[in-house]
Amino acid sequence: MRIREGLFLHKIGDECIIMQDGSSNVDFSNILNLNPTAAYLWATIGNQEFDAASVTKMMTEHYEVTEEKARLDAERFIKKLKEAGVICDL
């Protein structure tokens, strides 16, 4: 899967949000607020293809977390992104 094109991470004060690039009408009711871990993952994923295994690896390399906990968090992160409609399957 991959992050849908036209979405960007913006940092406003201490908040990290995902918005459209602004080249079209922006729907401000559909802004995603990310916690620091989700913002790190979003920025690290960038334009790459990813899956639960690669997100798990990113988490275990960056945080002191067990692989089991990282896998569960990675699956939850991906599920939330799918629900928000910001990723697409290849």
Side-chain angles (χ1 to χ4, degrees):
M1 64 197 81
R2 184 181 294 264
I3 293 173
R4 202 178 69 194
E5 289 186 33
L7 298 171
F8 297 93
L9 176 68
H10 299 277
K11 186 164 182 162
I12 301 172
D14 291 337
E15 299 292 320
C16 292
I17 62 171
I18 301 300
M19 290 179 50
Q20 295 174 350
D21 66 1
S23 63
S24 61
N25 292 332
V26 177
D27 179 1
F28 288 103
S29 67
N30 200 18
I31 294 173
L32 297 174
N33 188 12
L34 302 180
N35 67 29
T37 300
Y40 162 75
L41 293 172
W42 183 282
T44 303
I45 289 167
N47 224 5
Q48 307 174 64
E49 291 180 31
F50 66 95
D51 58 15
S54 61
V55 174
T56 298
K57 184 176 180 187
M58 288 174 205
M59 293 181 73
T60 57
E61 290 176 349
H62 189 75
Y63 299 102
E64 290 185 27
V65 62
T66 65
E67 188 168 342
E68 166 100 10
K69 171 78 168 124
R71 182 184 54 76
L72 292 172
D73 289 347
E75 290 170 356
R76 186 171 53 241
F77 172 72
I78 290 169
K79 180 182 178 197
K80 296 265 187 195
L81 294 181
K82 283 183 179 182
E83 289 170 354
V86 299
I87 58 176
C88 55
D89 291 318
L90 300 176

